[in-house]
Amino acid sequence: VQLVESGGGLVPAGGSLRLSCVASGSLLSINNMGWYRQAPGKQRELVAVITSGGSTDYLDSVKGRFTISRDSAKRTMYLQANSLKPEDTAVYYCNVDGYDSPWQRFNSWGQGTQVTVSS
């Protein structure tokens, strides 16, 4: 299963971006889908996650500003990031886990997309 992110870029503080992550390849089902980010010199952290049932959870610092969603038919996940702050600057990665056969679970990462917020 391959994941491709898009939508990153350079935005001023207070601006918005919409990140997308598309899954391709042979897969049977998708369970959790999540967005992570890693800033220079820092550990990768979970930003938002959405379950197959649509339940969501967010990093405290992005609550009320970011919204995660998914379109299962399109195998796509989105992250709407509003009111961006310079501290949101990082490489954003998507992560998906599921099954590519009835007995084989997978967990895949995208290549990352850079988000830079200028002050």
Side-chain angles (χ1 to χ4, degrees):
V1 177
Q2 295 78 43
L3 304 179
V4 177
E5 300 111 331
S6 61
L10 172 64
V11 295
S16 298
L17 284 174
R18 189 193 195 204
L19 307 184
S20 299
C21 172
V22 181
S24 62
S26 177
L27 62 86
L28 188 64
S29 63
I30 295 176
N31 297 332
N32 293 344
M33 305 179 80
W35 287 99
Y36 289 74
R37 68 186 182 187
Q38 187 166 20
K42 295 188 177 181
Q43 290 189 327
R44 190 172 296 189
E45 62 182 356
L46 177 62
V47 175
V49 63
I50 184 167
T51 69
S52 57
S55 297
T56 60
D57 199 10
Y58 296 91
L59 181 69
D60 282 348
S61 62
V62 308
K63 286 180 180 178
R65 300 188 296 122
F66 290 13
T67 302
I68 189 172
S69 60
R70 62 191 282 174
D71 184 332
S72 296
K74 295 182 179 179
R75 300 179 174 184
T76 302
M77 172 178 61
Y78 305 97
L79 184 69
Q80 179 66 44
N82 298 329
S83 302
L84 283 160
K85 303 176 181 180
E87 51 263 44
D88 295 318
T89 294
V91 177
Y92 284 69
Y93 299 89
C94 66
N95 175 263
V96 174
D97 79 83
Y99 287 87
D100 55 19
S101 75
W103 53 86
Q104 184 65 50
R105 190 162 185 168
F106 73 88
N107 186 288
S108 295
W109 290 89
Q111 83 286 354
T113 186
Q114 177 70 47
V115 172
T116 303
V117 185
S118 61
S119 57

